């Protein structure tokens, strides 16, 4: 496995591999890797000759400076884990390498960025668009892998791929959970023990909710989920929406003929957790 920190070096290496007929997959990450990321790396390696993993805490997608400061950074551990799991190239650039000057690009992802995370984290998806497009330009992968925990992020990135005519496939990969049901996230390591102990309540309530659609209409069920989660003194729901899986428009009726996804953001103390479930 090679570790590369410079954009031009990575582009040159990848171009050469592609000219030899190799397929290339990219897994963009912000590091602090866990089993969820590793499942992406494994899928990437299975679907391509070459697996490239980027490790970069992207400052432009953090609308909360405190969140950026406390975001875990564990590059040495990440590299060891990637080496064991089939990664061929780690791309770990500095902030100056990725942003030699301010990125002033403003994307318009339309409706999919205006709701849920987009409504609560102004500028977040614009920052995601900035870094992911830079990574796509450097690597020009055949496929790029993203975890479905960040469900809305996938919709935004698919929109960007269409708008900017990237010739690549976005591969969404299933959420990986801890044994107690908590969706794996780099932020889980920041949870104080009592909050960590209570955080699996989020998935437990979502799971239960999927069995209640014959007893409640959509609005009733949404309220039930929020009430059940907020009954736990360690958790405070920010939003819970049930949306279709492509346009992210709110579901009005269970009879609608689409895939319905319940998306949630919950504060466990200062730490904000997101999760989702298919109804
Ligand atoms: O999902 C993430 O970890 C980040 O948003 C991504 C896609 C690596 C861009 O920084």
């Amino acid at each position: 496995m090679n570790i590369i920190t410079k954009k031009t070096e990575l582009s040159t290496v990848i171009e050469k591999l592609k000219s030899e007929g190799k397929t290339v997959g990219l897994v963009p990450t912000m590091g602090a890797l866990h089993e969820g990321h590793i499942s992406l790396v494994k899928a990437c390696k299975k679907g391509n000759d070459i697996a490239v993993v980027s490790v970069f805490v992207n400052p432009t997608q953090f609308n909360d400076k405190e969140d950026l400061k406390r975001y875990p950074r564990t590059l040495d551990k990440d590299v060891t884990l990637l080496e064991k799991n089939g990664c061929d190239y780690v791309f770990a650039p500095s902030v100056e390498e990725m942003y030699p000057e301010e990125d002033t690009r403003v994307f318009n992802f339309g409706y999919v960025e205006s709701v849920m995370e987009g409504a609560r984290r102004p500028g977040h998806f614009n920052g995601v668009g900035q870094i992911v497009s830079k990574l796509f330009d450097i690597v020009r992968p055949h496929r790029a892998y993203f975890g479905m925990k960040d469900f809305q992020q996938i919709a935004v990135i698919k929109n960007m791929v269409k708008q900017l005519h990237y010739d690549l496939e976005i591969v969404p990969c299933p959420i990986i959970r801890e044994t107690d049901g908590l969706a794996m996230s780099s932020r889980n390591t920041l949870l104080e023990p009592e909050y960590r102990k209570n955080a699996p309540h989020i998935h437990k309530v979502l799971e239960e909710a999927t069995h209640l659609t014959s007893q409640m209409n959509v609005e009733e069920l949404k309220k039930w989920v929020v009430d059940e989660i907020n009954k736990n003194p360690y958790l405070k729901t920010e939003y819970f929406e049930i949306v279709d899986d492509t346009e992210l428009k709110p579901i009005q009726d269970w009879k609608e003929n689409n895939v319905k996804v319940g998306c949630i953001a919950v504060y466990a103390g200062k730490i904000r957790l997101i999760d989702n479930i298919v109804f």
Side-chain angles (χ1 to χ4, degrees), residues 144 192 232 267:
E192 298 288 339
N232 184 307
Y267 276 97

Side-chain angles (χ1 to χ4, degrees), residues 239-251:
Y239 69 80
F240 175 58
E241 301 287 348
I242 305 177
V243 300
D244 75 84
D245 74 332
T246 37
E247 290 183 52
L248 314 189
K249 293 266 166 70
I251 299 294

Side-chain angles (χ1 to χ4, degrees), residues 182 190-200 233-235 267-271 273:
L182 179 64
L190 302 174
L191 292 167
E192 298 288 339
E194 277 312 302
Y195 290 98
R196 172 63 190 82
K197 216 160 97 190
N198 284 278
Y234 292 92
L235 304 174
Y267 276 97
K270 284 193 181 127
I271 307 305
L273 302 172

Side-chain angles (χ1 to χ4, degrees), residues 28-30 37 56 58 61 71 124 128 131-132 146 150 153 157:
T29 83
M30 296 206 296
H37 296 110
F56 179 69
N58 173 39
Q61 71 187 74
Y71 201 85
H124 168 65
V128 170
I131 191 62
V132 173
F146 295 90
D150 295 295
Q153 173 169 273
I157 290 170

Side-chain angles (χ1 to χ4, degrees), residues 22 25 58 65 200:
K22 301 262 200 294
N58 173 39
K65 293 292 161 232

Side-chain angles (χ1 to χ4, degrees), residues 7-170:
K7 294 177 284 201
T8 47
E9 187 187 345
L10 183 62
S11 292
T12 309
V13 169
I14 298 298
E15 264 322 299
K16 179 159 183 301
L17 289 164
K18 284 169 75 178
S19 72
E20 292 163 3
K22 301 262 200 294
T23 56
V24 176
L26 171 68
V27 182
T29 83
M30 296 206 296
L33 303 181
H34 49 67
E35 280 305 312
H37 296 110
I38 296 308
S39 73
L40 303 181
V41 177
K42 286 184 176 158
C44 179
K45 190 60 190 170
K46 199 165 167 209
N48 303 275
D49 299 315
I50 303 294
V52 181
V53 179
S54 61
V55 176
F56 179 69
V57 181
N58 173 39
T60 72
Q61 71 187 74
F62 285 82
N63 54 313
D64 174 352
K65 293 292 161 232
E66 278 308 302
D67 191 23
L68 172 61
K69 239 198 254 165
R70 71 176 164 237
Y71 201 85
R73 288 156 171 90
T74 58
L75 185 60
D76 291 347
K77 246 171 95 187
D78 294 345
V79 165
T80 310
L81 208 53
L82 290 172
E83 176 120 53
K84 279 194 205 143
N85 285 284
C87 171
D88 298 293
Y89 292 92
V90 182
F91 180 49
S94 65
V95 173
E96 295 70 34
E97 179 68 10
M98 292 312 284
Y99 296 103
E101 64 248 359
E102 194 187 346
D103 190 340
T104 53
R105 289 175 299 160
V106 178
F107 295 94
N108 179 357
F109 300 121
Y111 184 80
V112 293
E113 72 168 334
S114 69
V115 292
M116 303 192 291
E117 292 301 291
R120 272 95 185 171
R121 303 180 66 190
H124 168 65
F125 286 126
N126 201 64
V128 170
Q130 290 175 342
I131 191 62
V132 173
S133 60
K134 279 174 186 273
L135 292 169
F136 285 174
D137 290 339
I138 296 163
V139 180
R140 296 263 157 204
H142 294 91
R143 295 177 194 83
Y145 295 75
F146 295 90
M148 286 171 71
K149 185 174 75 68
D150 295 295
F151 175 74
Q152 188 174 6
Q153 173 169 273
I154 295 179
V156 165
I157 290 170
K158 280 185 174 169
N159 182 300
M160 183 182 80
V161 165
K162 232 190 213 164
Q163 275 192 47
L164 302 184
H165 307 289
Y166 281 114
D167 183 17
L168 54 84
E169 183 192 349
I170 298 297

